[in-house]
């Protein structure tokens, strides 16, 4: 996966500062839209050509959710952020939650998700009755409904938001969680302790401590954090972080 491979120190040298100095925020988003518009609407496409990590990823996420011991009464509604074609929705969230909404900026992926999530494919079941709304909009512009979701899952997308938009997004999410609701993010993190830029897909990879700091700054407490095991060597480390708002609104 292009954005998943770790960069060397020389590759990231000053690039982030250069980008932020020369690229407008709008350009940052438009470049990402263009990148994703050229990616096939397949599981392999969602995983940057590493389709074979789907099983290990879903297994790690399923174990993480299971260990959070979510009560049955809190398995009504989930939201999948940056959902792509619904790989996470279909394989992780739909087997557990009665309804799943998706938010995805790319119109082709959003449309494909409707079919992908509801259709049986080989041994993978589709869940026609569990598909909720598909919101075709960027997370930076998305305001979810109040108190709707027991779990919000966000995977491999937050690097597409600027720091300021990410902080605002974290704040808006607090309102959409039910009491006891959980926000789970699963993202690549750098080992260098610096934010690194991927110009190809117009995204950044942040250090773990930046995500921890942003969550704290926007009023969350981290309830569980686990590193995804068994990924191929040479990729960025991937962390799952579950958190809850300290207060619903600031
Ligand atoms: C690496 S794929 C991951 C898809 C899915 N989360 C998964 O794990 O299979 C990244 C996804 O984020 C979407 N994306 C990129 N920028 C976004 C934004 N600003 N808001 C919402 N989605 C975005 C892309 O279109 C793409 O579907």
């Amino acid at each position: 996966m292009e954005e998943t491979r770790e960069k060397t120190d020389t590759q990231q040298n000053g690039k982030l500062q250069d980008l932020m100095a020369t690229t407008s925020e709008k350009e940052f988003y438009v470049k990402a839209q263009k990148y994703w518009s050229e990616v096939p609407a397949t599981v392999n496409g969602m995983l940057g050509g590493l389709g074979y990590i789907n099983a290990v990823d879903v297994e790690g996420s399923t174990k993480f959710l299971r260990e959070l011991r979510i009560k049955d009464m809190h398995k009504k509604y989930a939201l999948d952020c940056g959902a792509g074609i619904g790989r996470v929705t279909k394989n992780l969230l739909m087997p557990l939650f009665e309804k799943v909404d998706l938010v995805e900026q790319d119109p082709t992926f959003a449309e494909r998700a409707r079919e992908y999530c509801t259709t049986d494919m080989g041994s993978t079941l589709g869940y026609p009755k569990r598909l909720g709304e598909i919101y075709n909009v960027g997370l930076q512009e998305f305001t979810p409904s109040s108190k709707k979701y027991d779990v919000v899952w966000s995977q491999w997308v937050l690097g597409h938001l600027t720091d300021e938009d990410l902080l605002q997004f974290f704040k808006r999410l607090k309102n959409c969680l039910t009491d006891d609701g959980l926000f789970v993010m699963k993202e690549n993190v750098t080992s260098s302790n610096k934010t690194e830029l991927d110009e190809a897909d117009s995204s950044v990879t942040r250090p773990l401590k930046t995500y921890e700091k942003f969550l704290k700054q926007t009023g969350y407490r981290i309830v569980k954090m686990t590193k995804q095991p068994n990924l191929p060597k040479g990729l960025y480390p991937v962390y799952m972080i579950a958190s809850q708002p300290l207060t619903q609104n600031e």
Side-chain angles (χ1 to χ4, degrees):
M1 175 163 23
E2 179 117 43
E3 76 274 18
T4 304
R5 290 206 177 92
E6 283 238 62
K7 291 184 178 49
T8 63
D9 273 358
T10 39
Q11 276 176 302
Q12 46 147 319
N13 222 351
K15 279 280 176 79
L16 187 62
Q17 282 74 12
D18 290 353
L19 173 95
M20 290 314 174
T22 57
T23 309
S24 69
E25 193 181 299
K26 188 166 176 234
E27 232 180 295
F28 181 67
Y29 289 111
V30 169
K31 272 181 78 178
Q33 282 164 17
K34 182 167 185 310
Y35 173 87
W36 286 107
S37 71
E38 290 163 5
V39 169
T42 60
V43 167
N44 208 39
M46 297 303 98
L47 296 173
L50 303 183
Y52 62 89
I53 69 167
N54 179 51
V56 90
D57 166 62
V58 171
E59 194 183 320
S61 302
T62 305
K63 183 164 181 280
F64 186 79
L65 270 187
R66 196 184 320 120
E67 288 171 358
L68 284 167
R69 298 186 182 284
I70 300 168
K71 296 196 179 91
D72 285 346
M73 62 184 281
H74 294 308
K75 289 180 182 164
K76 292 207 160 50
Y77 241 116
L79 172 70
D80 183 0
C81 295
I85 63 164
R87 183 188 69 85
V88 172
T89 291
K90 183 178 188 176
N91 296 293
L92 174 72
L93 301 173
M94 281 179 156
L96 288 172
F97 293 88
E98 287 174 26
K99 254 325 182 247
V100 185
D101 289 350
L102 296 81
V103 51
E104 166 55 46
Q105 61 86 34
D106 182 83
T108 306
F109 296 167
E111 201 40 52
R112 175 74 185 125
R114 200 173 294 287
E115 193 198 348
Y116 175 74
C117 293
T118 55
T119 312
D120 295 346
M121 289 171 194
S123 59
T124 313
L125 290 179
Y127 295 86
K129 294 193 175 136
R130 296 195 167 200
L131 181 64
E133 301 290 331
I134 300 179
Y135 301 102
N136 181 207
V137 63
L139 294 180
Q140 67 279 12
E141 290 162 8
F142 179 63
T143 301
S145 304
S146 184
K147 295 227 175 209
K148 184 172 184 185
Y149 301 109
D150 299 304
V151 165
V152 172
W153 189 277
S154 168
Q155 181 160 355
W156 283 324
V157 65
L158 298 182
H160 281 297
L161 298 189
T162 63
D163 284 359
E164 186 48 39
D165 282 344
L166 180 59
L167 288 165
Q168 295 306 325
F169 179 63
F170 279 175
K171 285 186 192 170
R172 290 197 299 280
L173 277 187
K174 290 199 293 183
N175 278 331
C176 81
L177 291 170
T178 55
D179 296 341
D180 291 330
L182 286 161
F183 168 50
V184 183
M185 46 166 285
K186 184 167 188 174
E187 289 294 335
N188 295 344
V189 300
T190 58
S191 318
S192 64
N193 265 342
K194 289 180 196 147
T195 299
E196 296 174 10
L197 167 73
D198 187 332
E199 281 185 278
D201 69 358
S202 192
S203 73
V204 294
T205 305
R206 301 180 170 93
L208 183 57
K209 68 169 192 234
T210 301
Y211 282 116
E212 290 176 291
K213 185 177 79 182
F214 284 2
L215 286 167
K216 193 170 170 202
Q217 207 173 313
T218 49
Y220 291 85
R221 74 181 176 98
I222 292 175
V223 297
K224 186 176 173 64
M225 182 157 76
T226 303
K227 186 179 176 191
Q228 167 68 46
N230 305 324
L231 287 176
K233 285 206 177 70
L235 303 187
Y236 281 117
V238 175
Y239 275 81
M240 294 171 270
I241 307 174
S243 43
Q244 282 186 316
L246 290 165
T247 54
Q248 210 71 16
N249 218 338
E250 289 200 321

